[in-house]
Amino acid sequence: MSESGGAASYTVVTLTATLSTIKPRIFVRPEIRVVGVGITLLLTVGLILGAISLSAMVPAGADLADPTQRSYATNIWQETQTSLALLAIFLPWVLYGLLFKGSRWGTGILLVIATVGTVVGTWLTSLSLESYAALPRQVTGVVAKVDGRQLTLSGGSGLYLVIRDAELTVAQPWLKPGTSVTLWVSPRGHAGYIGSAATSD
């Protein structure tokens, strides 16, 4: 091989090696792994759908033979489903952050947010399960104020209505200040059932 040919060959090899070292970092070590994100999103959606359709998995504290308490138990269980759905939003991203390493700061921020959400979701789920399993108390009184789902009885007792939207809509025409009502209430002060005192015996 001639000297000029050797120099040209050396130049080509050097140029190729140089180009290989300046490739965009995204091709060498991608910050966002499309496959990992896709799997995590699918897992999140699946867990959320599973949470909102999950049947009660612990015995109810309410007497399910009583229609009013059965309605209470159904509405209180919805709180647990909501808490589980919140947990389902964050938990998969904890796994993603642990399994698919990206940039140091990006992974760290993701793990912090996902971990906090997972802890909060777990705590709320625990509270909801305790409420569902606990014996409800019957409360009878006269409505003093209604503000959305916040109900205040005469004497200052405040309760939060967790009944379904359809039930709340049906109750609105008669749920006015001065009305006597009977409620089934959880230990957390959440009313899962409300009815007119004259008809809820």
Side-chain angles (χ1 to χ4, degrees):
M1 179 182 293
S2 65
E3 184 176 342
S4 60
S9 177
Y10 177 77
T11 301
V12 171
V13 172
T14 303
L15 179 60
T16 302
T18 302
L19 289 175
S20 68
T21 61
I22 62 174
K23 287 190 300 183
R25 189 167 181 262
I26 190 170
F27 294 108
V28 179
R29 185 182 177 186
E31 300 299 331
I32 300 177
R33 302 179 184 274
V34 177
V35 174
V37 171
I39 293 174
T40 305
L41 287 174
L42 288 175
L43 179 60
T44 300
V45 172
L47 289 176
I48 291 174
L49 293 177
I52 62 178
S53 61
L54 182 67
S55 300
M57 54 187 179
V58 296
D63 180 6
L64 300 183
D66 179 351
T68 60
Q69 292 192 53
R70 185 166 61 249
S71 177
Y72 158 86
T74 299
N75 289 326
I76 291 297
W77 181 250
Q78 286 186 136
E79 287 191 308
T80 303
Q81 291 174 316
T82 302
S83 299
L84 286 171
L86 176 64
L87 182 60
I89 292 174
F90 291 101
L91 182 58
W93 294 102
V94 173
L95 300 177
Y96 174 86
L98 294 174
L99 296 177
F100 299 95
K101 298 294 184 181
S103 67
R104 180 179 178 182
W105 283 104
T107 300
I109 293 173
L110 174 64
L111 281 174
V112 168
I113 295 175
T115 300
V116 170
T118 299
V119 170
V120 172
T122 302
W123 176 64
L124 291 175
T125 300
S126 176
L127 290 179
S128 300
L129 287 172
E130 289 179 4
S131 293
Y132 182 80
L135 186 68
R137 60 189 175 94
Q138 189 177 51
V139 176
T140 302
V142 177
V143 176
K145 181 181 178 181
V146 181
D147 183 11
R149 290 182 173 273
Q150 193 68 43
L151 179 70
T152 304
L153 301 179
S154 297
S157 178
L159 301 169
Y160 186 76
L161 300 175
V162 294
I163 60 178
R164 291 186 292 269
D165 290 338
E167 294 178 11
L168 184 60
T169 300
V170 171
Q172 283 177 344
W174 58 264
L175 188 57
K176 306 290 184 181
T179 303
S180 295
V181 294
T182 296
L183 309 98
W184 285 106
V185 183
S186 75
R188 299 170 62 193
H190 291 182
Y193 170 82
I194 183 170
S196 172
T199 60
S200 58
D201 293 334

